[in-house]
Amino acid sequence: MFSSRLPHSLVANALANAVAGVRAAGGSLVDLTVSNPTRVGIYYPPSLLSPLGDPHALSYRPEPFGLRGAREAVAGEYARRGLAVASDRLVLTASTSEAYAFLFKLLCEPGDEILVPRPSYPLFEHLAALEAVRVVPYPLEYHGVWTIDLASLEQARTPRTKAVVVVSPNNPTGSTLKQREAAWLDAFCASHDLALIADEVFADYPIEPAGDASRSVVPGAGSTESPSALTFALGGLSKSVGLPQVKLGWVAVAGPATLVEAALARLELVCDTYLSVSTPVQVALPRLLHDGSVVREAIRERLAVNHAALRRLAADHPESTVLGIEGGWSTVLRVPAVTSEEQLVVDLVERERVLVHPGYFFDFPHEAYLVVSLLPAPDVFREGMTRTFRAVAMLEHTR
C-alpha cells in the first residue's frame, strides 16, 4: 500500500530503545546530541520575533522566488561575509531540506544519482529517496585534517550522476572545503555537465579554520569570475541566526549565465507550484537577520567555550582522540574499539546517563567514533564529557 520511497522498517534502534527506557523509568540524561540552539540557554532578545507581527504581512503578494525586500536582505548577508550574490539570483525556500528537494526536482529524473560526502548527515538519503533519487557516497579522509578523496569521487560518477553535494563546514566532521578542492570540483562538474550543490548553513561558525579554506562556492565581493559549473549555495535562518522554528532558507545560484537563467526559469515553476514560504517571515527577514546577529555571536561564544573545555578534558584521556574541527556545531571523538559503537552508546545511556551519537549514524568508514554537540550549556557539556571520557577509559583499562 505504501510508497517504496519511505523506509521499509520504522522500528526503533537499540539506542532509541535505551533512551526511551531511561525516560520511562523517570531518569534524566545529559544530552550531548542537542542541535537546537533554542533549548540550551542561548540568549535570545525577547523582542526578536516581533517583526513577524508587521501589518504589511496582511497583504498577500505571492512571489515564486520570494519578496524582493527579503531577497535583498539575504544578498546583504552574503555581502557581510565578503561575497557577491545579486538578489535576482536568490531563491527563498521554507528550509534547507526543501531547497534540496527543489534542486533534486530540477536536476534529476527518477533513478538518477547524486554524489554525497561520507561521513555526513544522514538526511541526504531520506531527502533523495523521497524524490526517487539515489545517493552515491564519496569518502572524506582524515589525516589530521579532513579532505575529499577526489579520485574516489571521480570514480563514483556514472552516466546517471547529476550533481555533487559538498557540505562546508560538514556535519559532523567540521571539515571545510579547501580552495584547491573547490577549484577541482568546479572544473570536474563543468566538464561532466554536473551541478555543484554546496550546503553552507554552518559557514558563520568557524572554530579552527584551515588557512586554505574556501569561503564559499559563490564569488567573492569584487570578483569578476563566476563558477564554470552550475552552482547552488544553501543557507538559512536555522543556523545563521539560530532560529530553526522560523522556517526560511535560501539558495544562491551561480555559474555560466545561460545555465543560471535556464535553472532559474525552471525553479520558478517549482517554487510557484508550492509557494511554501510564508509572507510574515519574508516581511520580517531584514530585521530578523539584523537583530539576530546577537544570537549568532552568543552561539559562537558557546562553541568556543565548549571546544576549549573539550580540549582540556581530553588532555587527561589519551585513550580518546578529539579530531580536528574547522567549523560547525559538532565534534568527533575517536575511541578504542573495545566494544561496538552501538553497545558503547547504549552503555553510556544506561550506566552514565549520557546521550551521544555513534559514528555509524553518519557512515564513518569503521569504528569507533562518537559524535557530540558543542551547543549544550557549558556545565552540562563538561559533565557529559567527563562521564564519557571516564567510561571510555574504564573500557580501555579492562581490555
Side-chain angles (χ1 to χ4, degrees):
M1 176 182 290
F2 300 112
S3 169
S4 62
R5 290 177 291 178
L6 297 169
H8 295 297
S9 174
L10 299 176
V11 176
N13 58 41
L15 178 59
N17 286 331
V19 170
V22 169
R23 289 175 173 161
S28 61
L29 291 168
V30 178
D31 188 354
L32 296 185
T33 68
V34 62
S35 60
N36 181 349
T38 71
R39 302 297 298 273
V40 293
I42 296 289
Y43 173 73
Y44 284 77
S47 62
L48 182 59
L49 297 185
S50 61
L52 292 171
D54 191 317
H56 288 94
L58 292 171
S59 174
Y60 181 47
R61 294 183 293 107
E63 295 284 347
F65 290 157
L67 298 177
R68 176 161 295 279
R71 287 184 284 127
E72 288 174 348
V74 175
E77 278 293 281
Y78 278 102
R80 174 181 61 80
R81 293 172 50 203
L83 304 169
V85 178
S87 61
D88 60 1
R89 291 196 171 191
L90 285 165
V91 178
L92 303 188
T93 63
S95 65
T96 305
S97 294
E98 184 177 72
Y100 278 116
F102 285 3
L103 293 178
F104 293 166
K105 288 178 174 70
L106 170 73
L107 300 168
C108 299
E109 300 289 350
D112 281 343
E113 298 171 352
I114 304 290
L115 303 185
V116 301
R118 184 174 64 184
S120 196
Y121 195 63
L123 184 64
F124 293 131
E125 187 170 347
H126 298 297
L127 289 171
L130 289 172
E131 302 301 324
V133 174
R134 179 169 173 260
V135 295
V136 176
Y138 64 85
L140 304 179
E141 295 185 329
Y142 185 75
H143 304 286
V145 64
W146 291 95
T147 57
I148 297 173
D149 184 340
L150 298 175
S152 294
L153 186 154
E154 188 170 19
Q155 292 170 4
R157 186 189 68 86
T158 74
R160 300 218 67 170
T161 304
K162 298 301 181 183
V164 178
V165 172
V166 295
V167 185
S168 181
N170 179 277
N171 179 16
T173 66
S175 54
T176 58
L177 191 65
K178 310 304 183 291
Q179 292 175 14
R180 66 175 184 85
E181 293 172 332
W184 187 93
L185 285 167
D186 182 48
F188 174 76
C189 289
S191 65
H192 294 291
D193 294 323
L194 306 178
L196 180 62
I197 302 173
D199 187 328
E200 299 178 346
V201 297
F202 288 107
D204 277 313
Y205 301 100
I207 294 179
E208 292 180 340
D212 60 343
S214 172
R215 284 189 300 171
S216 175
V217 295
V218 300
S223 174
T224 58
E225 297 183 3
S226 295
S228 300
L230 180 61
T231 300
F232 303 94
L234 278 55
L237 284 181
S238 176
K239 305 301 186 296
S240 67
V241 291
L243 288 173
Q245 74 276 43
V246 182
K247 308 301 292 182
L248 188 136
W250 52 78
V251 181
V253 188
T258 54
L259 283 177
V260 170
E261 290 167 5
L264 288 172
R266 289 159 176 80
L267 273 175
E268 183 173 14
L269 176 60
V270 175
C271 294
D272 196 35
T273 301
Y274 289 89
L275 291 175
S276 55
V277 186
S278 76
T279 296
V281 72
Q282 293 186 68
V283 171
L285 187 59
R287 283 187 56 190
L288 291 174
L289 290 171
H290 178 271
D291 297 350
S293 63
V294 297
V295 178
R296 180 168 56 245
E297 291 305 317
I299 293 173
R300 285 175 175 170
E301 182 179 355
R302 173 68 58 81
L303 300 175
V305 167
N306 283 344
H307 186 251
L310 178 65
R311 290 294 190 186
R312 289 193 298 270
L313 290 168
D316 295 327
H317 293 278
E319 67 280 349
S320 299
T321 302
V322 179
L323 302 192
I325 177 174
E326 297 171 62
W329 291 2
S330 298
T331 192
V332 179
L333 278 68
R334 186 166 53 211
V335 299
V338 178
T339 185
S340 71
E341 284 179 348
E342 183 171 70
Q343 189 60 55
L344 175 56
V345 296
V346 168
D347 286 346
L348 284 170
V349 166
E350 294 179 342
R351 299 178 184 177
E352 301 291 340
R353 297 297 191 262
V354 177
L355 177 60
V356 301
H357 281 312
Y360 73 82
F361 274 15
F362 304 89
D363 286 334
F364 278 79
H366 56 79
E367 298 193 353
Y369 295 92
L370 301 178
V371 176
V372 299
S373 169
L374 293 171
L375 276 180
D379 58 335
V380 173
F381 182 80
R382 288 192 301 271
E383 178 61 26
M385 288 311 308
T386 298
R387 297 185 195 181
T388 299
F389 280 128
R390 180 180 64 207
V392 171
M394 290 176 63
L395 279 175
E396 173 68 2
H397 294 153
T398 58
R399 178 160 63 170

